[in-house]
Amino acid sequence: ALLEGRLTRERRVFTLDDIDWRLLDLSTIDVPDFSDLDIDGYPHLSAFTGRSCPYQCGFCSETMQWGKYRRKQASQVAEELKILSERHRFQLFLMGDSLLNPVITDVADECIERELPVYWDGYLRAEKPVCDPQNARLWRRGGYYRARIGAESGSPRVLKLMNKQITVEQIKAAVANLASAGIKTTTYWVIGYPGETEEDFLQTLALIEEMKDDLYEADCNPFAYFLKGQVNSQNWGQAHECHLLYPDWARESLITQTWILDCEPRREEIYHRLNRFIAHCRNLNIPNPYSLREIYAADERWKKLHPNAVPSVLEFEKNKDSGDAVVDEFRQNATIAAATAVIEDDGDWGF
């Protein structure tokens, strides 16, 4: 509101309101061309299969930002990966979707049928089909490289508060199933969600310890509140007092403003738990790699833990430097050791 009418068209940030919430047909989008960019320093290229999300997790902004969920056809996705791989000599891709669940099987089938030497990672929800070992083996053969799983909490009560519509048992089964197929399992956790108690937090730590050998990575983030843009922003604003973290005199020095809710857990406790989470993962030897050196070390650990492990990032880098050589171990060794995942009923979202 403070900027209303003060910015020129060239400097404005456009929103869906500016186009009357008309949604772009994803089938009409051209394949991106990265030729003008220096991409040699990146381990993967970006692609995507859809926009928005079919779910409404309380802390998330995907549906608020993108509107109705829509997706490309699997054949279009596979063709784009083929073009990008041949044009830029990349085999590894990061899908920018909020989740791949609606398309993952179809995309894997397309990649297998076309014998595409590509690998792709992206976000995955720990729902029932992810707990099926047959699905995981199929996805692995289709090039699925890393599953980025929004586990968020080990507390059934907090999962219900978040409207995650998944259970702790599903999280365990999904992680074990993917790991057995060799797919890297990156997990994300929200620390300090409104209403999270110490007991809830301890359940998260216990779940991580139980799954430690099946976790490729564990990344945590402190809960952050925004006045608008999250599914539950309005509800939180009505239920709790909120105020700016920093005083008025500091506003001119800040790029953005930070709002906090007047509820439990308090900000100090959230960051205390965050540090405990990091220390817990470190003690369990669960990495959260960022530099290439750390990623290489995490990949070596994964290979030692899981015989079906996907290739390391280093293997892709070596092959990219060598010219026409490609990594295609998932076709050379199509037989993947089977695993059995058992899912038990766990509350309202059980089976």
Side-chain angles (χ1 to χ4, degrees):
L2 293 175
L3 294 176
E4 190 69 36
R6 295 176 59 183
L7 295 178
T8 64
R9 179 178 177 84
E10 291 74 17
R11 298 178 62 195
R12 280 191 54 203
V13 175
F14 286 84
T15 69
L16 287 173
D17 289 333
D18 291 290
I19 58 172
D20 298 324
W21 284 76
R22 296 192 306 273
L23 299 179
L24 180 66
D25 181 354
L26 299 182
S27 68
T28 65
I29 297 177
D30 293 332
V31 178
D33 188 346
F34 299 104
S35 298
D36 291 339
L37 301 176
D38 183 6
I39 58 177
D40 290 341
Y42 293 90
H44 52 241
L45 283 184
S46 177
F48 72 98
T49 73
R51 283 290 179 253
S52 197
C53 181
Y55 299 95
Q56 291 272 308
C57 299
F59 56 84
C60 191
S61 62
E62 281 289 309
T63 57
M64 310 297 287
Q65 177 179 350
W66 295 107
K68 181 181 178 181
Y69 174 74
R70 66 270 193 207
R71 69 190 193 188
K72 301 174 184 177
Q73 293 296 319
S75 58
Q76 179 185 356
V77 175
E79 183 63 20
E80 290 180 2
L81 293 178
K82 177 179 182 293
I83 293 171
L84 288 170
S85 179
E86 293 175 350
R87 179 186 295 165
H88 301 291
R89 295 197 302 109
F90 270 76
Q91 285 189 263
L92 186 57
F93 293 87
L94 170 60
M95 299 301 193
D97 309 57
S98 64
L99 81 173
L100 293 173
N101 297 66
V103 299
I104 185 170
T105 298
D106 291 340
V107 171
D109 282 338
E110 282 284 341
C111 290
I112 292 171
E113 182 178 348
R114 296 169 182 240
E115 297 188 351
L116 293 182
V118 296
Y119 294 76
W120 34 283
D121 87 35
Y123 294 87
L124 199 65
R125 192 169 174 272
E127 59 188 12
K128 187 174 182 179
V130 187
C131 304
D132 184 341
Q134 185 174 346
N135 284 336
R137 295 197 296 272
L138 170 67
W139 301 339
R140 171 75 169 84
R141 287 182 54 232
Y144 193 38
Y145 184 75
R146 176 166 60 164
R148 298 170 182 261
I149 301 170
E152 319 305 0
S153 176
S155 163
R157 191 182 73 86
V158 173
L159 291 174
K160 187 175 293 187
L161 287 175
M162 292 176 170
N163 193 33
K164 284 293 296 183
Q165 300 184 41
I166 60 174
T167 70
V168 171
E169 291 303 320
Q170 280 178 274
I171 294 172
K172 290 192 291 187
V175 166
N177 184 41
L178 293 163
S180 179
I183 299 166
K184 295 180 184 178
T185 53
T186 290
T187 51
Y188 297 99
W189 308 81
V190 174
I191 307 301
Y193 192 84
E196 180 191 77
T197 65
E198 174 68 10
E199 180 181 353
D200 294 324
F201 177 65
L202 290 177
Q203 287 180 301
T204 294
L205 298 186
L207 177 58
I208 289 172
E209 184 165 4
E210 184 176 350
M211 300 189 301
K212 61 183 177 64
D213 288 342
D214 288 334
L215 294 181
Y216 172 79
E217 176 181 9
D219 189 7
C220 65
N221 288 282
F223 169 78
Y225 165 69
F226 299 93
L227 291 178
K228 294 181 178 181
Q230 294 165 293
V231 171
N232 273 0
S233 288
Q234 184 175 356
N235 293 337
W236 287 322
Q238 292 174 348
H240 307 288
E241 294 289 333
C242 64
H243 58 86
L244 287 168
L245 175 63
Y246 301 105
D248 290 343
W249 57 262
R251 287 191 183 184
E252 293 185 2
S253 303
L254 301 172
I255 297 176
T256 61
Q257 295 179 346
T258 302
W259 293 85
I260 56 176
L261 292 170
D262 187 16
C263 68
E264 297 295 337
R266 303 292 176 174
R267 183 177 173 87
E268 293 79 8
E269 179 58 30
I270 291 175
Y271 279 86
H272 178 58
R273 289 176 185 171
L274 200 74
N275 289 328
R276 290 165 60 194
F277 180 100
I278 294 171
H280 185 65
C281 291
R282 187 180 296 120
N283 290 337
L284 295 173
N285 195 33
I286 301 172
N288 183 18
Y290 282 93
S291 70
L292 283 177
R293 182 183 296 275
E294 290 172 337
I295 293 172
Y296 296 157
D299 286 352
E300 289 304 306
R301 168 184 175 268
W302 195 245
K303 284 185 176 182
K304 292 177 182 177
L305 288 172
H306 299 285
N308 294 322
V310 293
S312 69
V313 170
L314 180 60
E315 291 177 59
F316 291 109
E317 291 297 304
K318 287 180 177 179
N319 278 33
K320 190 166 59 175
D321 293 338
S322 64
D324 295 331
V326 294
V327 177
D328 61 352
E329 50 74 47
F330 53 88
R331 276 192 298 278
Q332 293 175 2
N333 183 20
T335 303
I336 299 173
T340 301
V342 179
I343 311 170
E344 300 176 0
D345 193 340
D346 186 20
D348 293 344
W349 306 110
F351 311 122

